[in-house]
Amino acid sequence: MNEQQFIEALKEKGIILSEMQIAQFKKYFELLVEWNEKMNLTAITDLEGVYLKHFYDSISPSFYFDFTKVTTVCDVGAGAGFPSIPIKICFPHLQVTIVDSLNKRITFLNHLSEELHLDNMNFVHARAEEFGQNVKYREKFDVVTARAVARLSVLSELCVPLAKENGYFVALKAAAGAEELKDAKKALTTLGVALKEEFAFHLPVEDSERTLYVFDKIKGTPKKYPRKPGVPNKMPIQ
């Protein structure tokens, strides 16, 4: 997917990019490739791959979930800024907080944010488990999202405690989503969310499967969650 195909594909979904937004994506691509030579940010560095598998894929939740109706977004383990920074470029009103456990990535994200002139961005170097117990962030966000960080039973424990009551947990998954959802049933109920909607679709060009889950935060998350760093992964709520 080249730049023009990217612009057209978003237009078909109702997202009309301004010249400034197009320039921001271009700069994003250049910085990603440049910094990737110094640190491991992504295995995908060709222009067509980045525009499809990082930019377009990151924005795809907005085809099904209305980001114009929310303000605060938290992205858990965003790595090189996916999915939240492409979403932020398309919806500039959003206030985005990204938490990542690797300080080098936080350094990149700070630089990226400055170069793209993004405002209302907050980058936090922390383990997601500790971040979720921090009163400054716990149950403070309209939307919490993550892409390809962990299986759903683990991911929900890292994300759901950050969503405020009546907020949302939006999970981007590949083809194994249905199996993961089955495994995560107890975790999701325990943590206080209920499945609101699910959407199955294919990425254009390569036709790979995607599943988007939107969960409603229907009650507060018990204080014991998330558990200590490493525990959710070793012992998912089953």
Side-chain angles (χ1 to χ4, degrees), residues 109-160:
L109 292 169
N110 270 305
H111 178 73
L112 175 71
S113 181
E114 283 169 20
E115 290 289 312
L116 300 186
H117 306 295
L118 301 176
D119 58 3
N120 292 314
M121 298 295 295
N122 182 26
F123 304 107
V124 183
H125 173 227
R127 291 289 298 263
E129 295 94 332
E130 292 163 341
F131 185 78
Q133 287 291 359
N134 186 329
V135 292
K136 188 175 169 189
Y137 303 110
R138 185 181 177 86
E139 303 202 318
K140 292 289 193 287
F141 297 96
D142 298 331
V143 180
V144 184
T145 189
R147 188 180 80 139
V149 171
R151 58 196 192 281
L152 199 54
S153 55
V154 177
L155 190 62
S156 55
E157 186 171 346
L158 305 179
C159 292
V160 173

Side-chain angles (χ1 to χ4, degrees), residues 2 23 39 73 87 106 115 117 125 134-135 150 154 180 218:
N2 62 31
M39 63 173 81
V73 175
I87 290 170
I106 295 293
E115 290 289 312
H117 306 295
H125 173 227
N134 186 329
V135 292
V154 177
E180 288 189 30
I218 52 175

Side-chain angles (χ1 to χ4, degrees), residues 56-218:
Y56 185 88
D57 194 24
S58 290
I59 298 161
S60 63
S62 73
F63 309 154
Y64 307 96
F65 179 86
D66 190 355
F67 281 94
T68 65
K69 295 201 167 133
V70 295
T71 306
T72 53
V73 175
C74 182
D75 187 355
V76 176
F82 308 120
S84 58
I85 291 185
I87 290 170
K88 164 74 175 175
I89 293 171
C90 292
F91 302 92
H93 75 282
L94 293 173
Q95 297 169 17
V96 175
T97 297
I98 292 178
V99 56
D100 199 277
S101 60
L102 204 61
N103 206 28
K104 285 195 297 190
R105 285 198 288 253
I106 295 293
T107 305
F108 165 72
L109 292 169
N110 270 305
H111 178 73
L112 175 71
S113 181
E114 283 169 20
E115 290 289 312
L116 300 186
H117 306 295
L118 301 176
D119 58 3
N120 292 314
M121 298 295 295
N122 182 26
F123 304 107
V124 183
H125 173 227
R127 291 289 298 263
E129 295 94 332
E130 292 163 341
F131 185 78
Q133 287 291 359
N134 186 329
V135 292
K136 188 175 169 189
Y137 303 110
R138 185 181 177 86
E139 303 202 318
K140 292 289 193 287
F141 297 96
D142 298 331
V143 180
V144 184
T145 189
R147 188 180 80 139
V149 171
R151 58 196 192 281
L152 199 54
S153 55
V154 177
L155 190 62
S156 55
E157 186 171 346
L158 305 179
C159 292
V160 173
L162 297 162
K164 57 170 70 162
E165 277 190 59
N166 301 317
Y168 306 94
F169 166 38
V170 176
L172 291 74
K173 285 286 163 191
E179 201 55 44
E180 288 189 30
L181 183 65
K182 223 170 11 184
D183 286 347
K185 278 224 158 82
K186 184 169 182 206
L188 294 160
T189 306
T190 303
L191 295 161
V193 290
L195 182 63
K196 181 178 186 249
E197 292 175 293
E198 64 178 280
F199 305 94
F201 58 98
H202 289 79
L203 274 191
V205 186
E206 62 166 35
D207 212 35
S208 54
E209 288 179 51
R210 292 289 183 272
T211 312
L212 183 77
Y213 294 110
V214 179
F215 298 95
D216 274 333
K217 180 81 174 269
I218 52 175

